[in-house]
Amino acid sequence: MRKHPEHFRPIEYIIFSLATLAVMCLCVCVGSVSIPLSETVRVIWGALSGQAQTSGLTNSIILSVRLPRVFCVALSGSALSLAGAAMQGLLKNPLADGSTLGVSSGASLGAVLAIAFGVTIPGLPFSGTMFMAILFAFLSLLVILGLAYKLDYSLSTNTIILIGVIYSMFMSSLMSIVITFASDKIQSITFWTMGSLQNSSYKNAAILLAAFLLCGGMLFFHARELNAFAVGEDNARHVGVDVRRTKLTVLIMVSILIGVCVSVGGTISFVGLVTPHMVRMIVGPNHRRLLPASAFGGAVFLLLADLAARILLNPRELPIGVVTSLVGAVVFVFIFYQTRKG
Amino acid sequence: MLEVKELTVNYGSCTVVDRMSFHVSEGQWLMIVGPNGAGKSTVLSAVTQGVAYTGTVSLLGQDVKRISAAQRAREVGVLAQNHFVGYEFTVEEVVRLGRYAYSSKLFSGRKDEDEQAVEKALELTGMEALRDQSVLKLSGGELQRTFLAQVFAQNPKLLLLDEPTNHLDLVYQKQVFELIAQWVKQPGRAVVSVVHDLSLAKAFGSDALLMSRGGLVAEGSVDEVLRPEHLDPVYDMDVCAWMREMLSQWDDKEKEMAICQIPE
């Protein structure tokens, strides 16, 4: 077996960062209107140095449309992938992810309720949807894991997936009921169910970045505990991990990450499932390496998925959630087949 | 070293362990024996805070409920009977987890004492050559030795073994028990193990505790506890007669072998 270093080395950070940056550049340049790389760099450099031209189509496309979108897509991909990797470690279950567990569906219901009934937090008009998405993501995790523990203490893959599927269906039917009562907001609600980062803004990117730094940082901080959980929960307790505190912390961080992503871009499936799988094959299962690599991998995966969503049926645009599900399902079957084959 | 007083564990309305009290001193190897469902493993789980209980469990004079998980791990190591590792960790990565309780800082560098403990544990258990091997590709015996190495790296004062050789062949059973017998000879150490094999209990234990239906039936030295008047009512059979009958199979076979090998 190939021996992996214990940490993610500085050279690996540099390589992964450059790869992510290259894909980000590609996503800014390519679209319904293709912009040369030199022009893109000139516009971004101009904006950074305070010499931006306020007019011009290229300027508007890059600075007002593509750049905020690329930031949001990259950060959503990183956050979802990180959440998936953390959940897979915590539950010692390679199929655990926000979408398979039904957490994303729960978060979507929270967001939909906020839209339908106009739930807001005084002084923070945008945060009502986000708060509800995070709250429902966390409550969903508690309900799903509570049910799974009751049925099967070992939290086996089959039990978790089965409960996740049932829970997702239950959430979908609740969403249908909400839509029935709020037919005037059906268009906004559909957005959450399909996933799209079309209307991303710098404000959204800033919120995603804050959530990523806070929750991602906390997850990195718990990398060794996640390693112990990935070997086994009992083993984690035996080697001295505060099992209850670690579990609660990781679940809260994961809920915030998924909740914020859902409130910004709707339900985007499979990123948290497929990316950590692929990354684990390259860097190994140690979470000190897996978590940073998953963050980069998730960004690249979602950026490419978003690019495909934009250009495949140009001038029409596919919802990003549809693309990740299509690609993710195929890649996942391939990985699963390869793993079984040995 | 370990003092358990009035330990009671309930699963719903069912009492699994009922007002158990015992203590373990330095140098002791306490064998907990009894039929299936007697509550033996639950007693060990209570010591490691794996189940809710009433009563007190004290470790080196401190209530285990009041000490941190890391401090508890520095005092108590546990070797379970089954291990289902989720991912392709290497043997060394699993053994290194045994040093978790000794590290305090995030991403702290490797300390010399951690390195020495890991190397020594790998050497003791004979797992050095397999240190880079995936634990998913190990045999049952190798996997058990990996986790034994993790416990050795943890360097605890008290070792709890839950049927540690249940699924191992004779070679590995012998290896694991001999390793632990060497380990407990060091000063300031003790072992508590749950075993089904009464011969192993007799051969390696210094003391024994016989349990039945969650309660304590007998305690004392191995020779005092593992006697027909205690064992027969608990197992509802003539235990000694059964053991002798099993051993006599070997006597007969040896005789047959000896006859076969007589030179012309």
Side-chain angles (χ1 to χ4, degrees), chain A residues 12-324:
Chain A
E12 289 172 305
Y13 271 108
I14 293 168
I15 293 168
F16 276 68
S17 300
L18 287 176
T20 310
L21 204 62
V23 178
M24 285 172 86
C25 284
L26 179 76
C27 291
V28 175
C29 295
V30 179
S32 53
V33 177
S34 287
I35 303 165
L37 182 63
S38 57
E39 179 74 1
T40 305
V41 172
R42 192 186 60 74
V43 170
I44 293 172
W45 182 250
L48 285 173
S49 59
Q51 297 162 354
Q53 294 172 345
T54 47
S55 60
L57 186 64
T58 312
N59 264 30
S60 299
I61 290 173
I62 292 176
L63 297 178
S64 305
V65 181
R66 287 195 190 158
L67 209 53
R69 179 170 181 157
V70 161
F71 283 141
C72 283
V73 170
L75 286 164
S76 294
S78 291
L80 289 170
S81 181
L82 206 56
M87 269 201 278
Q88 287 166 22
L90 188 78
L91 300 174
K92 205 177 82 172
N93 188 328
L95 292 177
D97 163 48
S99 46
T100 50
L101 258 66
V103 183
S104 301
S105 309
S108 293
L109 178 67
V112 164
L113 280 171
I115 297 166
F117 299 108
V119 178
T120 52
I121 295 174
L124 295 165
F126 183 77
S127 58
T129 318
M130 190 168 287
F131 172 76
M132 289 288 279
I134 293 169
L135 179 71
F136 272 66
F138 185 63
L139 290 177
S140 300
L141 256 181
L142 290 185
V143 169
I144 293 156
L145 293 179
L147 276 172
Y149 264 122
K150 274 265 180 209
L151 286 172
D152 175 5
Y153 178 74
S154 67
L155 281 182
S156 73
T157 305
N158 291 345
T159 310
I160 290 227
I161 301 303
L162 195 62
I163 290 175
V165 168
I166 294 166
Y167 189 82
S168 292
M169 287 163 75
F170 183 60
M171 290 294 110
S172 298
S173 42
L174 288 182
M175 267 191 274
S176 303
I177 295 171
V178 175
I179 290 167
T180 312
F181 285 102
S183 51
D184 54 321
K185 288 173 179 160
I186 196 161
Q187 214 171 357
S188 320
I189 290 172
T190 311
F191 162 82
W192 300 103
T193 57
M194 294 175 85
S196 172
L197 287 152
Q198 205 170 352
N199 301 318
S200 302
S201 64
Y202 287 112
K203 190 177 76 178
N204 289 346
I207 291 166
L208 280 166
L209 181 66
F212 177 76
L213 291 177
L214 173 76
C215 304
M218 283 297 280
L219 291 177
F220 284 133
F221 189 77
H222 284 85
R224 285 182 315 133
E225 285 80 358
L226 286 170
N227 280 342
F229 268 93
V231 169
E233 186 177 328
D234 282 337
N235 191 253
R237 192 174 60 251
H238 296 158
V239 298
V241 175
D242 188 334
V243 168
R244 194 173 291 190
R245 200 186 65 193
T246 304
K247 222 187 244 185
L248 194 65
T249 308
V250 172
L251 291 181
I252 290 173
M253 294 305 124
V254 162
S255 304
I256 294 175
L257 283 174
I258 293 175
V260 171
C261 287
V262 166
S263 69
V264 170
T267 311
I268 302 171
S269 310
F270 273 105
V271 184
L273 184 67
V274 172
T275 320
H277 254 291
M278 297 170 82
V279 169
R280 201 177 283 116
M281 287 176 178
I282 302 165
V283 301
N286 187 336
H287 286 78
R288 286 171 140 184
R289 295 172 51 73
L290 182 66
L291 292 180
S294 290
F296 286 114
V300 170
F301 176 70
L302 202 59
L303 281 166
L304 293 175
D306 187 54
L307 185 64
R310 281 192 286 137
I311 62 171
L312 276 181
L313 298 178
N314 192 20
R316 282 192 162 187
E317 187 175 321
L318 282 167
I320 191 169
V322 174
V323 178
T324 56

Side-chain angles (χ1 to χ4, degrees), chain A residues 6 88 92 224-225 235, chain B residues 84 87 100 103 110 150:
Chain A
E6 205 178 348
Q88 287 166 22
K92 205 177 82 172
R224 285 182 315 133
E225 285 80 358
N235 191 253
Chain B
F84 302 105
Y87 302 99
Y100 173 84
S103 54
R110 290 183 177 185
Q150 186 194 72

Side-chain angles (χ1 to χ4, degrees), chain B residues 46-236:
Chain B
V47 176
T48 58
Q49 305 297 290
V51 289
Y53 63 86
T54 57
T56 54
V57 178
S58 306
L59 200 63
L60 298 164
Q62 282 184 293
D63 188 342
V64 283
K65 279 183 178 169
R66 296 183 190 281
I67 60 177
S68 70
Q71 193 187 340
R72 189 179 66 236
R74 288 193 290 269
E75 313 289 3
V76 184
V78 184
L79 184 65
Q81 61 172 310
N82 291 318
H83 309 279
F84 302 105
V85 182
Y87 302 99
E88 283 213 72
F89 286 99
T90 62
V91 167
E92 189 182 330
E93 282 172 328
V94 171
V95 175
R96 204 168 279 285
L97 276 174
R99 299 302 295 172
Y100 173 84
Y102 294 90
S103 54
S104 52
K105 286 185 292 177
L106 169 73
F107 299 138
S108 53
R110 290 183 177 185
K111 287 186 284 187
D112 285 347
E113 58 185 286
D114 290 341
E115 291 305 302
Q116 283 165 12
V118 170
E119 291 305 321
K120 197 176 164 191
L122 286 167
E123 188 191 324
L124 265 175
T125 51
M127 293 302 289
E128 279 169 305
L130 296 171
R131 64 193 307 152
D132 296 328
Q133 177 80 271
S134 159
V135 288
L136 300 185
K137 294 189 173 95
L138 298 178
S139 69
E142 289 164 344
L143 189 64
Q144 189 65 314
R145 279 193 290 154
T146 301
F147 279 90
L148 185 61
Q150 186 194 72
V151 174
F152 285 166
Q154 207 171 319
N155 195 23
K157 296 177 179 74
L158 177 68
L159 189 53
L160 304 181
L161 313 169
D162 190 0
E163 298 178 42
T165 57
N166 216 21
H167 304 297
L168 301 188
D169 65 33
L170 289 175
V171 177
Y172 288 125
Q173 276 193 28
K174 186 170 177 285
Q175 277 182 10
V176 169
F177 269 88
E178 283 177 353
L179 277 169
I180 295 162
Q182 284 297 318
W183 182 87
V184 76
K185 279 181 188 162
Q186 310 280 327
R189 288 174 174 175
V191 179
V192 178
S193 56
V194 167
V195 284
H196 273 300
D197 189 330
L198 299 176
S199 302
L200 278 175
K202 253 180 158 341
F204 288 93
S206 62
D207 298 83
L209 202 147
L210 179 62
M211 286 183 73
S212 177
R213 294 178 185 176
L216 182 63
V217 176
E219 68 171 317
S221 72
V222 168
D223 291 333
E224 284 167 5
V225 174
L226 302 185
R227 297 175 68 84
E229 61 264 34
H230 296 137
L231 295 171
D232 293 358
V234 167
Y235 287 94
D236 198 19

